[in-house]
Amino acid sequence: MYSKESYNKLLNAIAQNIDISDEMFEKAEKTYTGLGKWIDQETPEYEISIYPQGSFALGTVVRPITNSDDYDLDIVCQFKKQYELTAKELKIDVVKPLLVRYKKTSSDIEEKKRCWHVEYVDVPNFHMDVIPAYCFGNSICITDHNEVNDSYDYIGSNPSGYVTWFFDSCAKQRVRLYEQYIKEHRIVVAQADVEDVKRRKVKTPLQRVVQLLKRHRDIMFADDDSGNKPISIIITTIAARLYEEEDNIYDALANILVKAPAWIMNNCKGTQYYIENPSYPGENFADKWNTHPERATTFFKWLNQARQDLVDGDILKNNRMEMGTHIKKCFGDKTGIMVFNQEAEDMRSAIVTGALKVEPTTGNISKQGTVSVPPVHHFGL
């Protein structure tokens, strides 16, 4: 059986396993900063900034399930002002030629509704979704392509505001974990690097919950081509709305999954699903649910399955073998094998050093027990 503490430790190990490595994070950072510097040099007539949005900015990236898949890198290409450019001119006449010239290719640049999907041969492991936009007050206007009418227009958005809102939702735990990280590593961080350390090295329970939910979704819908797979922005927004600064993953996950269905229904406007963008009032992340109700049905089905798989009471009754099988089902074979192999190695090392103990009243094994677990030497080894 698992205690709440040991299960929480397991959830954290899974989240760490599916997280992006420091090496890949640095490659991603190099990818978009390199593009930004090149565009700045090539466009003296415009003032442009390039920055990430989405999971890279939020610290909720999950690595691809297979090595053949790429990371999605969402990038905003933000012009300081409109420069009297229409939405079509900004996207088609200005941004696309820059992306083509950057790596001298056009075959791997695909237009999507609000961005350019870019894959460069010499930038392995990543594809970029580049969103053309211009600054408008405290928000931005991004290009939107109406594919039915083949028309272009600007619509409002605020990705940097969303990032601020998300981190404000877990500010207390960020401060606690950041101070703990600095103390444990005995390092001094320059003020300019504080935020970078927090986002890369310090992961709050909220960030870990989002990563776990996204991977559970990816596994559950791995063979589903219906287009109804729950989208990350809705998962992330609901999680952050319901997070109550819990100091551990299990409590945060349980709270969010139990409350999410009622929260969604309570936020409906009449008969319409409505999950508002917290950084851009009036934008409804769930607008497609109202025209494609099967997407809402699928989302509720996934929430129910995630609750059953990850937090329902019987989960702690599993023995180690049962839990290993369960984790592989929920998060993938590769993750399950790697996490439990590491757990076995940690347990072996703890037994050798005498750090592993048994709690007599529960029989649980941990470093907090009172009875030492003696090393076992088979066949004289």
Side-chain angles (χ1 to χ4, degrees):
M1 293 177 61
Y2 279 73
S3 64
K4 176 181 168 181
E5 178 189 4
S6 60
Y7 182 54
N8 187 70
K9 182 179 179 182
L10 177 61
L11 290 174
N12 189 59
I14 296 166
Q16 290 177 342
N17 177 267
I18 63 177
D19 201 352
I20 187 172
S21 67
D22 286 346
E23 179 185 8
M24 293 306 294
F25 184 94
E26 289 166 3
K27 284 185 178 180
E29 195 172 46
K30 183 178 180 181
T31 296
Y32 71 77
T33 55
L35 174 63
K37 289 177 181 179
W38 184 87
I39 287 180
D40 184 59
Q41 294 171 354
E42 296 295 311
T43 56
E45 67 273 35
Y46 303 119
E47 189 170 339
I48 304 173
S49 58
I50 301 285
Y51 58 89
Q53 69 156 7
S55 59
F56 271 91
L58 297 172
T60 58
V61 178
V62 291
R63 68 175 69 219
I65 294 176
T66 68
N67 293 331
S68 61
D69 296 326
D70 285 346
Y71 289 93
D72 297 323
L73 183 53
D74 296 324
I75 299 172
V76 179
C77 179
Q78 180 179 309
F79 288 63
K80 185 177 183 180
K81 57 184 180 180
Q82 188 176 353
Y83 293 103
E84 299 183 353
L85 295 167
T86 66
K88 184 175 183 178
E89 289 170 339
L90 179 65
K91 187 177 185 184
I92 302 295
D93 299 335
V94 179
V95 174
K96 181 181 180 180
L98 287 169
L99 296 175
V100 171
R101 286 168 49 207
Y102 179 54
K103 294 294 184 181
K104 297 181 177 60
T105 181
S106 60
S107 61
D108 294 316
I109 295 181
E110 174 189 358
E111 182 174 14
K112 293 194 172 182
K113 184 173 173 59
R114 296 176 181 175
C115 68
W116 290 109
H117 179 84
V118 185
E119 296 184 21
Y120 293 122
V121 175
D122 59 347
V123 184
N125 305 116
F126 294 101
H127 69 249
M128 295 185 286
D129 286 339
V130 182
I131 305 165
Y134 73 87
C135 185
F136 185 77
N138 294 324
S139 59
I140 62 175
C141 290
I142 65 176
T143 59
D144 181 65
H145 180 206
N146 185 320
E147 296 167 336
V148 175
N149 301 325
D150 193 26
S151 60
Y152 294 80
D153 204 350
Y154 286 115
I155 60 172
S157 188
N158 188 9
S160 60
Y162 187 93
V163 172
T164 299
W165 169 80
F166 180 86
F167 283 117
D168 284 346
S169 301
C170 53
K172 179 180 176 181
Q173 293 304 318
R174 291 184 77 213
V175 170
R176 178 183 69 83
L177 293 168
Y178 172 71
E179 291 176 347
Q180 179 180 317
Y181 178 86
I182 295 300
K183 182 178 180 180
E184 289 178 353
H185 292 79
R186 299 179 181 179
I187 58 175
V188 177
V189 181
Q191 189 61 37
D193 298 328
V194 166
E195 199 62 28
D196 186 52
V197 169
K198 285 182 180 179
R199 294 185 188 183
R200 290 180 59 189
K201 301 292 187 180
V202 175
K203 293 295 178 73
T204 65
L206 173 59
Q207 289 167 292
R208 292 307 194 193
V209 164
V210 172
Q211 289 177 307
L212 291 169
L213 290 177
K214 285 164 62 175
R215 176 46 54 90
H216 181 276
R217 170 210 58 190
D218 291 343
I219 295 297
M220 182 171 170
F221 292 90
D223 300 318
D224 190 323
D225 297 323
S226 67
N228 297 327
K229 174 181 172 180
I231 61 174
S232 294
I233 191 63
I234 291 182
I235 295 172
T236 304
T237 301
I238 292 174
R241 285 290 193 192
L242 294 175
Y243 180 60
E244 296 180 353
E245 291 282 9
E246 292 91 347
D247 64 1
N248 67 90
I249 298 171
Y250 176 76
D251 284 340
L253 190 61
N255 175 55
I256 290 164
L257 287 173
V258 168
K259 293 181 179 178
W263 184 90
I264 294 171
M265 297 309 298
N266 290 338
N267 280 275
C268 286
K269 290 193 172 184
T271 60
Q272 301 290 296
Y273 290 108
Y274 193 81
I275 300 175
E276 187 170 63
N277 180 346
S279 67
Y280 199 81
E283 181 178 6
N284 178 15
F285 289 143
D287 59 345
K288 295 288 178 60
W289 289 11
N290 298 313
T291 55
H292 299 80
E294 64 276 10
R295 297 187 183 184
T297 301
T298 300
F299 194 90
F300 281 107
K301 179 181 177 182
W302 167 71
L303 276 178
N304 183 60
Q305 189 63 53
R307 192 197 74 245
Q308 291 181 37
D309 285 343
L310 304 179
V311 299
D312 274 2
D314 287 347
I315 188 73
L316 299 182
K317 296 180 181 179
N318 286 326
N319 59 38
R320 188 173 182 275
M321 184 173 294
E322 292 168 336
M323 185 67 84
T325 300
H326 184 69
I327 292 304
K328 287 193 286 186
K329 184 197 80 168
C330 295
F331 298 106
D333 287 345
K334 182 178 179 181
T335 292
I337 291 170
M338 292 180 68
V339 167
F340 276 86
N341 282 349
Q342 184 60 54
E343 183 184 75
E345 177 59 27
D346 291 345
M347 187 175 293
R348 186 197 66 80
S349 297
I351 290 174
V352 170
T353 60
L356 202 63
K357 308 289 179 68
V358 176
E359 176 54 54
T361 58
T362 64
N364 288 329
I365 299 176
S366 72
K367 294 181 180 180
Q368 281 70 47
T370 56
V371 180
S372 296
V373 178
V376 178
H377 301 287
H378 294 292
F379 306 109
L381 296 177

